[in-house]
Amino acid sequence: MNNYKALVKEAFSKVLIDPAFNEEMIARYFDPSYRQLVDGKELNYEQFVAHMAMVKQRTTRLEFLYNTVIEEGNVVFTNHIVTATKPNGEIVRTHLIAEFHIANGKITYCSELSRLLSGGDEDRDLGSAH
């Protein structure tokens, strides 16, 4: 039996929480056909990789608090809070609701809505900037 909830959480841990940008780690968890829709913006795989590099530049630490994680078939739904620490020490908190699709052991799709809880206007695009 597949445990896609664990796969998504592990991807968050290895790709996002780890402070180092690691393109090989991204490729381990995200399929080359990956598409991400965030607040009306669409990113393909290459743009997602660039987004991950940008997140590493704009933050020094990320923490995830999972309110809800539900798995149904090959779909994982998360309702979570991300707390990001910026290089200047400022804290950004964002509430995210996301739906992930999994195929062949990799994440192929994400549809995500985000709401900035704390941080500046320049932090509103932290979920999609690349």
Side-chain angles (χ1 to χ4, degrees), residues 9-92:
K9 285 182 169 185
E10 186 176 314
F12 283 178
S13 178
K14 300 291 187 181
V15 174
L16 286 157
I17 295 174
D18 186 325
F21 173 74
N22 185 336
E23 196 166 343
E24 290 176 8
M25 195 61 67
I26 295 169
R28 180 183 296 176
Y29 292 98
F30 294 86
D31 192 79
S33 67
Y34 180 73
R35 284 183 334 142
Q36 180 169 312
L37 304 174
V38 182
D39 300 330
K41 298 175 186 170
E42 183 170 352
L43 282 70
N44 63 24
Y45 180 83
E46 290 78 20
Q47 292 166 323
F48 176 72
V49 170
H51 167 64
M52 289 293 96
M54 184 280 315
V55 167
K56 300 300 180 179
Q57 291 173 356
R58 287 178 54 182
T59 65
T60 57
R61 180 179 175 158
L62 294 173
E63 297 176 46
F64 286 73
L65 171 64
Y66 300 98
N67 298 319
T68 309
V69 182
I70 298 171
E71 177 180 332
E72 185 171 316
N74 71 322
V75 175
V76 174
F77 167 86
T78 64
N79 176 339
H80 61 279
I81 306 287
V82 177
T83 301
T85 304
K86 295 167 54 170
N88 65 5
E90 289 180 22
I91 302 295
V92 178

Coordinates of all heavy atoms in Angstrom, one line a residue, residues 9-92:
K9 N 5.0 14.8 2.8 CA 5.7 15.4 4.0 C 7.2 15.2 3.8 O 8.0 16.1 4.2 CB 5.2 14.7 5.2 CG 3.8 15.2 5.7 CD 3.5 14.5 7.0 CE 2.3 15.1 7.7 NZ 2.1 14.4 9.0
E10 N 7.6 14.1 3.3 CA 9.1 13.9 3.1 C 9.6 14.9 2.0 O 10.7 15.4 2.2 CB 9.3 12.4 2.7 CG 10.8 12.1 2.6 CD 11.0 10.6 2.3 OE1 10.4 9.8 2.9 OE2 11.9 10.3 1.4
A11 N 8.9 15.1 1.0 CA 9.3 16.1 0.0 C 9.4 17.5 0.6 O 10.4 18.2 0.3 CB 8.3 16.1 -1.2
F12 N 8.4 17.9 1.4 CA 8.5 19.1 2.1 C 9.8 19.2 2.9 O 10.5 20.2 2.9 CB 7.3 19.4 3.0 CG 6.1 19.8 2.3 CD1 4.9 20.0 3.1 CD2 6.0 20.0 1.0 CE1 3.7 20.3 2.5 CE2 4.8 20.3 0.4 CZ 3.7 20.5 1.1
S13 N 10.1 18.1 3.6 CA 11.3 18.1 4.5 C 12.6 18.2 3.7 O 13.5 19.0 4.1 CB 11.2 16.8 5.4 OG 12.4 16.7 6.2
K14 N 12.7 17.3 2.7 CA 14.0 17.2 2.0 C 14.2 18.4 1.0 O 15.3 18.8 0.8 CB 14.0 15.9 1.2 CG 13.9 14.7 2.1 CD 15.1 14.5 2.9 CE 15.1 13.2 3.6 NZ 16.2 12.9 4.5
V15 N 13.1 18.9 0.4 CA 13.2 20.0 -0.6 C 13.1 21.4 0.0 O 13.8 22.3 -0.4 CB 12.2 19.8 -1.7 CG1 12.2 20.9 -2.7 CG2 12.5 18.4 -2.5
L16 N 12.2 21.5 0.9 CA 11.9 22.9 1.5 C 12.5 23.1 2.8 O 13.2 24.2 3.0 CB 10.4 23.1 1.6 CG 9.7 23.3 0.2 CD1 8.2 23.0 0.3 CD2 9.9 24.7 -0.2
I17 N 12.4 22.3 3.8 CA 12.9 22.5 5.1 C 14.4 22.5 5.1 O 15.1 23.3 5.8 CB 12.3 21.6 6.1 CG1 10.8 21.8 6.3 CG2 13.0 21.7 7.5 CD1 10.0 20.8 7.1
D18 N 15.0 21.6 4.4 CA 16.5 21.5 4.3 C 16.9 22.9 3.7 O 16.5 23.3 2.7 CB 16.9 20.4 3.4 CG 18.4 20.2 3.3 OD1 19.2 21.2 3.4 OD2 18.9 19.1 3.2
P19 N 17.8 23.6 4.4 CA 18.2 24.9 3.9 C 19.0 25.0 2.6 O 19.1 26.0 2.0 CB 19.0 25.5 5.1 CG 19.5 24.3 5.9 CD 18.5 23.2 5.7
A20 N 19.5 23.9 2.2 CA 20.3 23.8 1.0 C 19.5 23.7 -0.2 O 18.5 22.9 -0.2 CB 21.4 22.7 1.0
F21 N 19.8 24.4 -1.3 CA 19.1 24.1 -2.6 C 19.7 22.9 -3.2 O 20.9 22.8 -3.4 CB 19.2 25.4 -3.5 CG 18.7 25.1 -4.9 CD1 17.3 25.0 -5.1 CD2 19.6 24.9 -6.0 CE1 16.8 24.8 -6.4 CE2 19.1 24.6 -7.2 CZ 17.7 24.6 -7.5
N22 N 18.9 21.9 -3.6 CA 19.4 20.7 -4.1 C 18.5 20.2 -5.2 O 17.4 19.6 -5.0 CB 19.4 19.6 -3.0 CG 20.1 18.3 -3.4 OD1 20.1 18.0 -4.6 ND2 20.6 17.5 -2.5
E23 N 18.9 20.5 -6.5 CA 18.1 20.2 -7.6 C 17.9 18.7 -7.8 O 16.9 18.2 -8.2 CB 18.7 20.8 -8.9 CG 17.8 20.8 -10.0 CD 18.2 21.7 -11.2 OE1 19.1 22.5 -11.0 OE2 17.6 21.5 -12.3
E24 N 18.9 17.9 -7.4 CA 18.7 16.4 -7.4 C 17.6 15.9 -6.5 O 16.9 15.0 -6.8 CB 20.0 15.7 -7.1 CG 21.1 15.9 -8.2 CD 22.5 15.3 -7.8 OE1 22.5 14.6 -6.8 OE2 23.4 15.5 -8.5
M25 N 17.5 16.6 -5.3 CA 16.5 16.2 -4.4 C 15.1 16.6 -5.0 O 14.1 15.8 -4.8 CB 16.7 16.9 -3.1 CG 15.9 16.3 -1.9 SD 16.2 14.6 -1.6 CE 17.9 14.6 -1.0
I26 N 15.0 17.7 -5.6 CA 13.7 18.1 -6.3 C 13.3 17.0 -7.3 O 12.2 16.6 -7.3 CB 13.9 19.5 -7.0 CG1 14.1 20.6 -5.9 CG2 12.6 19.8 -7.8 CD1 14.5 21.9 -6.5
A27 N 14.3 16.6 -8.1 CA 14.0 15.5 -9.1 C 13.6 14.2 -8.5 O 12.9 13.4 -9.1 CB 15.2 15.4 -10.0
R28 N 14.0 13.9 -7.3 CA 13.7 12.7 -6.6 C 12.2 12.7 -6.2 O 11.6 11.6 -6.3 CB 14.5 12.5 -5.3 CG 14.2 11.2 -4.6 CD 14.9 11.1 -3.3 NE 16.3 11.0 -3.6 CZ 17.3 10.9 -2.6 NH1 16.9 10.9 -1.3 NH2 18.5 10.8 -2.9
Y29 N 11.6 13.8 -5.9 CA 10.2 13.9 -5.5 C 9.2 14.5 -6.5 O 8.0 14.2 -6.3 CB 10.2 14.7 -4.2 CG 10.8 14.0 -3.0 CD1 12.1 14.3 -2.7 CD2 10.2 13.0 -2.3 CE1 12.8 13.7 -1.6 CE2 10.8 12.4 -1.3 CZ 12.1 12.7 -0.9 OH 12.7 12.1 0.1
F30 N 9.7 15.2 -7.4 CA 8.8 15.9 -8.4 C 9.1 15.4 -9.8 O 10.2 15.4 -10.3 CB 9.0 17.4 -8.3 CG 8.5 18.0 -6.9 CD1 9.4 18.0 -5.9 CD2 7.3 18.4 -6.8 CE1 9.0 18.5 -4.6 CE2 6.8 18.9 -5.5 CZ 7.7 18.9 -4.5
D31 N 8.1 15.0 -10.5 CA 8.1 14.5 -11.8 C 8.5 15.6 -12.8 O 8.1 16.8 -12.6 CB 6.8 13.9 -12.2 CG 6.9 13.1 -13.5 OD1 7.4 11.9 -13.4 OD2 6.5 13.6 -14.6
P32 N 9.2 15.4 -13.9 CA 9.5 16.4 -14.9 C 8.3 17.0 -15.5 O 8.3 18.1 -16.0 CB 10.4 15.7 -15.9 CG 10.9 14.5 -15.3 CD 9.9 14.1 -14.2
S33 N 7.2 16.3 -15.5 CA 5.9 16.9 -16.0 C 5.2 17.7 -15.0 O 4.1 18.2 -15.2 CB 5.0 15.7 -16.4 OG 4.5 15.0 -15.3
Y34 N 5.8 17.9 -13.8 CA 5.1 18.7 -12.7 C 4.6 20.0 -13.1 O 5.2 20.8 -13.8 CB 6.1 18.8 -11.6 CG 5.6 19.6 -10.4 CD1 4.7 18.9 -9.5 CD2 6.0 20.9 -10.1 CE1 4.2 19.6 -8.4 CE2 5.5 21.5 -9.0 CZ 4.6 20.9 -8.1 OH 4.1 21.6 -7.0
R35 N 3.4 20.3 -12.6 CA 2.7 21.6 -12.8 C 2.2 22.1 -11.4 O 1.7 21.3 -10.7 CB 1.6 21.6 -13.8 CG 1.9 21.5 -15.2 CD 0.6 21.5 -16.0 NE -0.5 21.0 -15.3 CZ -1.8 21.5 -15.3 NH1 -2.1 22.4 -16.1 NH2 -2.7 21.0 -14.6
Q36 N 2.4 23.4 -11.2 CA 1.9 23.9 -9.9 C 1.1 25.2 -10.2 O 1.6 26.1 -10.9 CB 3.1 24.2 -9.0 CG 2.7 24.8 -7.7 CD 3.8 24.9 -6.7 OE1 4.5 23.9 -6.5 NE2 4.0 26.0 -6.0
L37 N -0.1 25.2 -9.7 CA -1.0 26.4 -9.7 C -1.0 27.0 -8.4 O -1.4 26.3 -7.4 CB -2.4 26.0 -10.2 CG -2.5 25.2 -11.5 CD1 -3.9 24.8 -11.7 CD2 -2.0 26.1 -12.6
V38 N -0.6 28.2 -8.2 CA -0.5 28.9 -6.9 C -1.2 30.3 -7.1 O -0.7 31.1 -7.8 CB 0.9 29.1 -6.5 CG1 0.9 29.8 -5.1 CG2 1.7 27.8 -6.5
D39 N -2.3 30.4 -6.4 CA -3.0 31.7 -6.4 C -3.2 32.2 -7.8 O -3.0 33.4 -8.1 CB -2.3 32.7 -5.5 CG -2.1 32.3 -4.1 OD1 -3.0 31.5 -3.6 OD2 -1.2 32.6 -3.4
G40 N -3.6 31.4 -8.8 CA -3.8 31.8 -10.1 C -2.6 31.8 -11.0 O -2.8 32.1 -12.2
K41 N -1.4 31.5 -10.5 CA -0.2 31.5 -11.3 C 0.2 30.1 -11.6 O 0.1 29.2 -10.7 CB 0.9 32.2 -10.6 CG 0.6 33.7 -10.4 CD 1.8 34.3 -9.6 CE 1.4 35.8 -9.2 NZ 2.3 36.3 -8.3
E42 N 0.6 29.8 -12.8 CA 1.0 28.4 -13.2 C 2.5 28.3 -13.3 O 3.1 29.2 -14.0 CB 0.3 27.9 -14.4 CG 0.7 26.5 -14.8 CD -0.2 25.9 -15.9 OE1 -1.1 26.6 -16.3 OE2 0.1 24.8 -16.3
L43 N 3.1 27.3 -12.7 CA 4.6 27.1 -12.9 C 4.7 25.7 -13.5 O 4.1 24.7 -13.0 CB 5.3 27.1 -11.5 CG 5.6 28.4 -10.9 CD1 4.3 29.1 -10.4 CD2 6.5 28.3 -9.7
N44 N 5.6 25.5 -14.4 CA 6.0 24.2 -14.9 C 7.2 23.7 -14.1 O 7.6 24.4 -13.1 CB 6.3 24.3 -16.4 CG 7.5 25.1 -16.8 OD1 8.4 25.4 -15.9 ND2 7.6 25.6 -18.0
Y45 N 7.7 22.6 -14.4 CA 8.8 22.0 -13.6 C 10.0 22.9 -13.5 O 10.6 23.2 -12.4 CB 9.2 20.6 -14.2 CG 10.3 20.0 -13.4 CD1 10.1 19.3 -12.2 CD2 11.7 20.1 -13.8 CE1 11.1 18.7 -11.5 CE2 12.7 19.5 -13.0 CZ 12.4 18.8 -11.9 OH 13.4 18.2 -11.2
E46 N 10.5 23.5 -14.7 CA 11.7 24.3 -14.7 C 11.4 25.6 -13.8 O 12.3 26.1 -13.1 CB 12.1 24.7 -16.1 CG 12.6 23.6 -16.9 CD 11.5 22.6 -17.5 OE1 10.3 23.0 -17.5 OE2 11.9 21.5 -17.8
Q47 N 10.2 26.2 -13.9 CA 9.9 27.3 -13.1 C 9.8 27.0 -11.7 O 10.2 27.8 -10.8 CB 8.6 28.0 -13.6 CG 8.7 28.6 -15.0 CD 7.3 28.9 -15.6 OE1 6.4 28.1 -15.5 NE2 7.3 30.0 -16.3
F48 N 9.3 25.8 -11.3 CA 9.3 25.3 -10.0 C 10.7 25.2 -9.4 O 10.9 25.6 -8.2 CB 8.5 24.0 -9.9 CG 8.5 23.4 -8.5 CD1 7.7 24.0 -7.5 CD2 9.3 22.3 -8.2 CE1 7.7 23.4 -6.2 CE2 9.3 21.7 -6.9 CZ 8.5 22.3 -5.9
V49 N 11.6 24.7 -10.2 CA 13.0 24.5 -9.7 C 13.6 26.0 -9.4 O 14.2 26.2 -8.4 CB 13.9 23.8 -10.7 CG1 15.3 23.9 -10.4 CG2 13.4 22.3 -10.8
A50 N 13.3 26.9 -10.3 CA 13.7 28.3 -10.1 C 13.1 28.9 -8.9 O 13.7 29.6 -8.1 CB 13.4 29.1 -11.4
H51 N 11.8 28.5 -8.7 CA 11.1 29.0 -7.5 C 11.7 28.5 -6.2 O 11.9 29.2 -5.2 CB 9.6 28.5 -7.6 CG 8.9 28.7 -6.3 ND1 8.6 29.9 -5.7 CD2 8.3 27.7 -5.5 CE1 7.9 29.7 -4.6 NE2 7.7 28.4 -4.4
M52 N 12.1 27.2 -6.2 CA 12.8 26.6 -5.0 C 14.1 27.3 -4.8 O 14.5 27.6 -3.6 CB 13.0 25.1 -5.2 CG 11.8 24.3 -5.2 SD 11.0 24.2 -3.5 CE 9.8 25.5 -3.7
A53 N 14.9 27.7 -5.8 CA 16.1 28.4 -5.6 C 15.9 29.8 -5.1 O 16.6 30.2 -4.2 CB 16.9 28.5 -7.0
M54 N 14.8 30.4 -5.5 CA 14.4 31.7 -5.0 C 14.0 31.7 -3.5 O 14.4 32.5 -2.7 CB 13.3 32.3 -5.9 CG 12.9 33.7 -5.5 SD 11.8 33.9 -4.1 CE 10.6 32.7 -4.4
V55 N 13.3 30.6 -3.2 CA 12.8 30.5 -1.8 C 14.1 30.3 -0.9 O 14.1 30.9 0.2 CB 11.9 29.3 -1.6 CG1 11.7 28.9 -0.1 CG2 10.5 29.5 -2.3
K56 N 15.1 29.6 -1.3 CA 16.3 29.4 -0.5 C 17.1 30.7 -0.4 O 17.7 31.0 0.6 CB 17.2 28.4 -1.2 CG 16.6 27.0 -1.3 CD 16.2 26.4 0.0 CE 15.6 25.1 -0.1 NZ 15.2 24.4 1.1
Q57 N 17.0 31.6 -1.4 CA 17.6 32.9 -1.3 C 16.9 33.9 -0.4 O 17.5 34.7 0.3 CB 17.7 33.6 -2.7 CG 18.7 32.9 -3.6 CD 18.6 33.5 -5.0 OE1 17.8 34.3 -5.3 NE2 19.4 33.0 -5.9
R58 N 15.6 33.8 -0.3 CA 14.7 34.7 0.4 C 14.4 34.3 1.9 O 13.9 35.0 2.6 CB 13.4 35.0 -0.3 CG 13.6 35.9 -1.5 CD 12.4 36.1 -2.4 NE 11.3 36.7 -1.6 CZ 10.1 36.9 -2.2 NH1 9.9 36.7 -3.5 NH2 9.1 37.4 -1.5
T59 N 14.9 33.0 2.2 CA 14.6 32.5 3.5 C 15.8 31.8 4.1 O 16.7 31.3 3.3 CB 13.4 31.5 3.6 OG1 13.8 30.4 2.8 CG2 12.1 32.2 3.0
T60 N 15.9 31.7 5.4 CA 17.0 31.0 6.0 C 16.5 29.8 6.7 O 17.2 28.9 7.1 CB 17.8 31.8 7.0 OG1 16.9 32.3 8.0 CG2 18.5 33.0 6.3
R61 N 15.1 29.8 7.0 CA 14.5 28.6 7.7 C 13.1 28.6 7.4 O 12.4 29.6 7.2 CB 14.7 28.8 9.2 CG 14.1 27.7 10.0 CD 14.4 28.0 11.5 NE 13.7 26.9 12.2 CZ 14.0 26.6 13.4 NH1 14.9 27.2 14.1 NH2 13.3 25.6 14.0
L62 N 12.5 27.3 7.2 CA 11.1 27.1 7.0 C 10.7 26.0 8.0 O 11.3 25.0 8.2 CB 10.9 26.6 5.5 CG 11.1 27.5 4.4 CD1 11.0 26.8 3.1 CD2 10.2 28.7 4.4
E63 N 9.5 26.3 8.5 CA 8.8 25.3 9.4 C 7.4 25.1 8.9 O 6.7 26.0 8.5 CB 8.8 25.8 10.9 CG 10.2 26.1 11.5 CD 10.0 26.7 12.9 OE1 9.2 26.2 13.6 OE2 10.8 27.7 13.1
F64 N 7.0 23.8 9.0 CA 5.6 23.5 8.6 C 4.8 23.0 9.8 O 5.3 22.2 10.6 CB 5.7 22.3 7.6 CG 6.1 22.8 6.2 CD1 7.4 23.1 6.0 CD2 5.2 22.9 5.2 CE1 7.9 23.5 4.7 CE2 5.6 23.3 3.9 CZ 7.0 23.6 3.7
L65 N 3.6 23.5 9.9 CA 2.7 23.0 10.9 C 1.5 22.5 10.1 O 0.8 23.2 9.5 CB 2.2 24.1 11.9 CG 1.1 23.8 12.8 CD1 1.5 22.7 13.8 CD2 0.6 25.0 13.5
Y66 N 1.3 21.1 10.2 CA 0.2 20.5 9.5 C -1.1 20.5 10.3 O -1.2 19.9 11.3 CB 0.6 19.1 9.1 CG 1.8 19.0 8.3 CD1 3.0 18.7 8.8 CD2 1.7 19.2 6.9 CE1 4.2 18.6 8.0 CE2 2.9 19.1 6.1 CZ 4.1 18.8 6.7 OH 5.2 18.8 5.9
N67 N -2.1 21.2 9.8 CA -3.4 21.2 10.5 C -4.2 19.9 10.0 O -4.8 19.3 10.9 CB -4.2 22.4 10.1 CG -3.6 23.7 10.6 OD1 -3.0 23.8 11.7 ND2 -3.6 24.7 9.7
T68 N -4.1 19.6 8.7 CA -4.8 18.5 8.2 C -4.0 17.9 7.0 O -3.5 18.7 6.2 CB -6.2 18.9 7.7 OG1 -6.9 19.6 8.7 CG2 -7.0 17.6 7.2
V69 N -3.9 16.6 6.9 CA -3.3 16.0 5.8 C -4.2 14.8 5.5 O -4.3 13.9 6.3 CB -1.8 15.5 6.0 CG1 -1.3 14.9 4.7 CG2 -1.0 16.7 6.4
I70 N -4.8 14.7 4.3 CA -5.7 13.7 3.9 C -5.3 13.0 2.6 O -4.9 13.7 1.7 CB -7.2 14.2 3.8 CG1 -7.6 14.8 5.1 CG2 -8.1 13.1 3.3 CD1 -8.9 15.6 5.0
E71 N -5.3 11.7 2.6 CA -4.9 11.0 1.4 C -6.2 10.2 0.9 O -6.8 9.6 1.6 CB -3.8 10.0 1.7 CG -3.4 9.1 0.5 CD -2.3 8.1 0.9 OE1 -1.5 8.4 1.8 OE2 -2.3 7.1 0.3
E72 N -6.4 10.4 -0.4 CA -7.5 9.6 -1.1 C -7.0 9.2 -2.4 O -6.8 10.0 -3.3 CB -8.8 10.5 -1.2 CG -10.0 9.7 -1.8 CD -11.3 10.4 -1.7 OE1 -11.5 11.1 -0.7 OE2 -12.0 10.4 -2.7
G73 N -6.8 7.9 -2.6 CA -6.2 7.4 -3.8 C -4.8 8.0 -4.0 O -4.0 7.9 -3.1
N74 N -4.6 8.6 -5.1 CA -3.3 9.2 -5.4 C -3.3 10.7 -5.2 O -2.4 11.4 -5.7 CB -2.9 8.9 -6.9 CG -3.7 9.7 -7.9 OD1 -4.9 9.9 -7.7 ND2 -3.1 10.1 -8.9
V75 N -4.3 11.2 -4.4 CA -4.4 12.6 -4.1 C -4.1 12.9 -2.6 O -4.7 12.1 -1.8 CB -5.8 13.2 -4.5 CG1 -5.9 14.6 -4.1 CG2 -6.0 13.0 -6.0
V76 N -3.3 13.9 -2.3 CA -3.1 14.3 -1.0 C -3.5 15.7 -0.8 O -3.1 16.6 -1.6 CB -1.6 14.1 -0.6 CG1 -1.3 14.7 0.8 CG2 -1.2 12.7 -0.7
F77 N -4.3 16.0 0.2 CA -4.7 17.4 0.5 C -4.1 17.8 1.8 O -4.0 17.0 2.8 CB -6.3 17.3 0.7 CG -6.8 18.6 1.3 CD1 -7.1 19.7 0.5 CD2 -7.0 18.7 2.7 CE1 -7.6 20.8 1.1 CE2 -7.5 19.8 3.3 CZ -7.8 20.9 2.5
T78 N -3.5 19.0 1.8 CA -2.9 19.5 3.0 C -3.5 20.9 3.4 O -3.8 21.7 2.5 CB -1.4 19.7 2.9 OG1 -1.1 20.7 1.9 CG2 -0.7 18.4 2.6
N79 N -3.6 21.1 4.6 CA -4.0 22.4 5.2 C -2.9 22.7 6.2 O -2.8 22.0 7.2 CB -5.4 22.3 5.8 CG -5.8 23.6 6.5 OD1 -5.0 24.5 6.8 ND2 -7.1 23.8 6.7
H80 N -2.0 23.6 5.9 CA -0.8 23.8 6.7 C -0.4 25.3 6.8 O -0.8 26.1 6.0 CB 0.3 22.9 6.2 CG 0.8 23.2 4.8 ND1 0.2 22.7 3.7 CD2 1.9 23.9 4.4 CE1 0.8 23.1 2.6 NE2 1.9 23.8 3.0
I81 N 0.4 25.5 7.8 CA 1.0 26.9 8.0 C 2.5 26.8 7.8 O 3.1 25.8 8.3 CB 0.7 27.4 9.5 CG1 -0.7 27.3 9.9 CG2 1.4 28.7 9.7 CD1 -1.6 28.4 9.2
V82 N 3.0 27.7 7.0 CA 4.5 27.7 6.8 C 5.0 29.0 7.5 O 4.5 30.1 7.3 CB 4.9 27.8 5.4 CG1 6.4 27.9 5.2 CG2 4.4 26.5 4.6
T83 N 6.0 28.8 8.4 CA 6.7 29.9 9.0 C 8.0 30.0 8.4 O 8.8 29.0 8.5 CB 6.8 29.7 10.5 OG1 5.4 29.6 11.1 CG2 7.4 30.9 11.2
A84 N 8.3 31.2 7.8 CA 9.6 31.4 7.1 C 10.4 32.5 7.9 O 9.8 33.5 8.3 CB 9.4 31.8 5.7
T85 N 11.7 32.2 8.0 CA 12.6 33.2 8.6 C 13.4 33.8 7.4 O 14.0 33.0 6.7 CB 13.5 32.6 9.6 OG1 12.7 32.0 10.7 CG2 14.4 33.7 10.3
K86 N 13.4 35.1 7.3 CA 14.1 35.8 6.2 C 15.5 36.1 6.7 O 15.8 36.0 7.9 CB 13.4 37.1 5.8 CG 12.0 36.8 5.2 CD 11.1 38.0 5.1 CE 11.8 39.2 4.4 NZ 10.8 40.2 4.0
P87 N 16.5 36.3 5.8 CA 17.9 36.6 6.2 C 18.0 37.7 7.2 O 18.9 37.7 8.0 CB 18.6 36.9 4.9 CG 17.8 36.2 3.9 CD 16.3 36.2 4.3
N88 N 17.1 38.7 7.2 CA 17.2 39.8 8.1 C 16.5 39.5 9.5 O 16.4 40.4 10.3 CB 16.6 41.1 7.5 CG 15.1 40.9 7.3 OD1 14.4 39.9 7.6 ND2 14.5 42.0 6.6
G89 N 16.0 38.2 9.6 CA 15.4 37.8 10.9 C 13.9 38.0 10.9 O 13.2 37.5 11.8
E90 N 13.3 38.7 9.9 CA 11.9 38.9 9.9 C 11.2 37.5 9.7 O 11.7 36.6 9.1 CB 11.4 39.8 8.8 CG 11.8 41.2 9.0 CD 11.4 42.1 7.9 OE1 10.4 41.8 7.1 OE2 12.0 43.2 7.7
I91 N 10.0 37.4 10.3 CA 9.2 36.1 10.2 C 8.0 36.4 9.3 O 7.3 37.4 9.4 CB 8.7 35.7 11.6 CG1 9.9 35.5 12.6 CG2 7.8 34.5 11.5 CD1 10.8 34.4 12.2
V92 N 7.8 35.4 8.4 CA 6.7 35.4 7.5 C 5.8 34.2 7.8 O 6.4 33.1 7.8 CB 7.1 35.4 6.0 CG1 5.9 35.4 5.1 CG2 8.0 36.6 5.7

